[in-house]
Amino acid sequence: MCTPEHEDVGLVTRIRGGDAVAFELLYDKYKRPLYQTALAITGDRGAAEDVVQDCFVRAYRAMDRVVALGSLSPWLHRIVVNLSCSRSSRDRRWLTTLDAWLERIAAPGPPPDQAAEQVEVSEIVRQALDGLNAKQRAVIVLFYVQGFSLADLAFILNCPVGTVKSRLHYACKAFRERLREDKRLAGEIIYGT
Amino acid sequence: MVHKPNGRETLYQDPIDDDLGSLVRWGLEDTFAEASPPDDLWPKIRAQIEAQSDTKPVSHAGVRRRSLSLASLVQTVVVSSLVLAFVLEVDRTGSSSPRPSADRTPVVEHSIFDSGPPRDIPRLRPVADPEPQQAVHRRMGGATQ
């Protein structure tokens, strides 16, 4: 059975040969995590769509130059993070769009009490994330949500592993401070007590 | 789809940070788990790629490079022409500057000389002006008239 990494290598070979179906398979494979990362950094669905679209167009153009030895996920995330950060610094919008909230309210989910708690925690976390800059948001989302290793983060953020650790440390520190300012959250997580 | 961080990371095995990670994952799961790009995004991407393939960005770069070299060539030719024209102008100006009169005098004298009557035409002599007496040459020891 073909591993995901080897699958990506095969896809790259086929895309280089002009196989449009292979490129669509690559898109289907990575569209959601890339979109989630872009949405987490930009905070705007329209911006995230633009970023993902631009990412795949750039990836297609650079397909001849990419060295495909394993998964393309770090490489694609690197493009998305760069596009999202540049876009976020240009047009900083970390706003909860109305349709996102409507979708959440309309979607069937857990019992009302649990759902209310989940929504409140989500709101607190999102607001705390909103207080960070784009790079700090990126490192937190990539590490905690997308589950990348520090080595992958070093590649994605184009910096040494030590710098990644430092960025993650300060991002977590800033994130905790934002959470501390919100009185709705229990203290044991924030203060570590 | 939310992933857990790899357990191999040693930096953030601190339980506080684990709690923070859990909070982030739990808090953002609701927001991002269902987040997915719209279905019409792929047709947009494909259309953009096809549009760029039609216009052939590589050949655009080639045209740009070619036009750049052509521009530099034209620029070189124009500059060379200007320099050449300047040099010629300087040379012409230098040659038309007033020279010493000795240089031009022979030409003037020559033209004056040429404008005179031809030498082979006999001169007319006025009637009132008698022909001058020819000088009598006396030969020493000759007979007297």
Side-chain angles (χ1 to χ4, degrees):
Chain A
M1 184 172 173
C2 194
T3 62
E5 288 79 11
H6 288 101
E7 187 183 66
D8 286 0
V9 175
L11 287 176
V12 169
T13 306
R14 288 171 57 188
I15 293 168
R16 284 174 180 166
D19 189 347
V21 176
F23 190 61
E24 188 169 0
L25 288 174
L26 186 73
Y27 170 78
D28 286 336
K29 185 177 180 181
Y30 290 113
K31 64 179 180 183
R32 287 189 65 186
L34 292 174
Y35 179 75
Q36 290 166 1
T37 301
L39 182 60
I41 297 173
T42 61
D44 182 77
R45 288 179 182 269
E49 289 175 21
D50 291 343
V51 165
V52 172
Q53 179 176 347
D54 203 5
C55 166
F56 277 98
V57 171
R58 289 179 184 223
Y60 185 81
R61 287 203 307 242
M63 201 56 74
D64 287 337
R65 301 190 302 271
V66 67
V67 181
L69 299 175
S71 172
L72 289 181
S73 180
W75 178 60
L76 293 171
H77 271 87
R78 179 173 176 160
I79 300 174
V80 160
V81 168
N82 285 336
L83 291 172
S84 300
C85 286
S86 60
R87 192 182 183 98
S88 184
S89 62
R90 186 173 74 233
D91 180 23
R92 193 175 185 283
R93 287 181 297 176
W94 175 243
L95 303 173
T96 304
T97 52
L98 183 61
D99 58 343
W101 288 106
L102 289 175
E103 282 176 15
R104 187 180 308 168
I105 292 169
D113 292 345
Q114 194 178 340
E117 185 186 3
Q118 173 75 11
V119 168
E120 190 175 20
V121 171
S122 295
E123 187 181 346
I124 293 168
V125 171
R126 285 169 61 95
Q127 285 177 354
L129 208 59
D130 179 26
L132 307 180
N133 61 42
K135 288 185 177 180
Q136 289 175 329
R137 282 200 298 271
V139 74
I140 283 185
V141 169
L142 290 171
F143 186 76
Y144 286 119
V145 179
Q146 300 296 352
F148 282 107
S149 67
L150 293 176
D152 284 342
L153 281 179
F155 172 78
I156 293 170
L157 301 175
N158 194 25
C159 61
V161 173
T163 306
V164 171
K165 291 179 181 178
S166 173
R167 282 191 191 178
L168 198 49
H169 170 75
Y170 285 109
C172 287
K173 186 178 177 184
F175 190 66
R176 274 198 297 272
E177 286 174 359
R178 297 291 184 282
L179 291 175
R180 191 180 296 135
E181 292 169 0
D182 199 311
K183 305 299 181 189
R184 293 173 290 180
L185 204 62
E188 62 267 18
I189 294 176
I190 306 169
Y191 300 106
T193 53
Chain B
M1 185 172 64
V2 178
H3 307 283
K4 280 191 170 184
N6 301 327
R8 59 185 177 275
E9 312 297 351
T10 56
L11 177 68
Y12 293 97
Q13 286 182 348
D14 185 346
I16 298 173
D17 285 319
D18 280 348
D19 288 341
L20 188 69
S22 300
L23 177 67
V24 171
R25 281 190 295 276
W26 190 54
L28 297 182
E29 183 179 17
D30 186 53
T31 304
F32 297 132
E34 300 302 323
S36 183
D39 294 336
D40 64 341
L41 189 59
W42 170 246
K44 288 180 186 174
I45 294 171
R46 196 172 54 189
Q48 190 174 350
I49 289 173
E50 287 173 356
Q52 291 184 353
S53 299
D54 290 341
T55 54
K56 294 184 179 176
V58 176
S59 61
H60 269 273
V63 167
R64 202 178 304 124
R65 230 174 285 128
R66 230 176 290 134
S67 63
L68 194 65
S69 61
L70 183 65
S72 65
L73 177 67
V74 169
Q75 189 179 8
T76 305
V77 168
V78 168
V79 169
S80 303
S81 303
L82 288 174
V83 169
L84 186 63
F86 177 74
V87 169
L88 291 176
E89 180 67 19
V90 167
D91 186 54
R92 196 175 66 83
T93 307
S95 62
S96 64
S97 63
R99 290 185 177 180
S101 55
D103 293 340
R104 302 172 78 185
T105 304
V107 179
V108 174
E109 283 182 348
H110 183 69
S111 61
I112 291 172
F113 183 79
D114 285 344
S115 65
R119 291 175 186 175
D120 53 348
I121 298 176
R123 292 182 184 180
L124 294 177
R125 179 167 47 84
V127 178
D129 189 10
E131 192 174 352
Q133 295 289 327
Q134 289 202 349
V136 178
H137 298 282
R138 293 177 182 175
R139 196 178 358 171
M140 294 294 290
T144 306
Q145 291 181 351

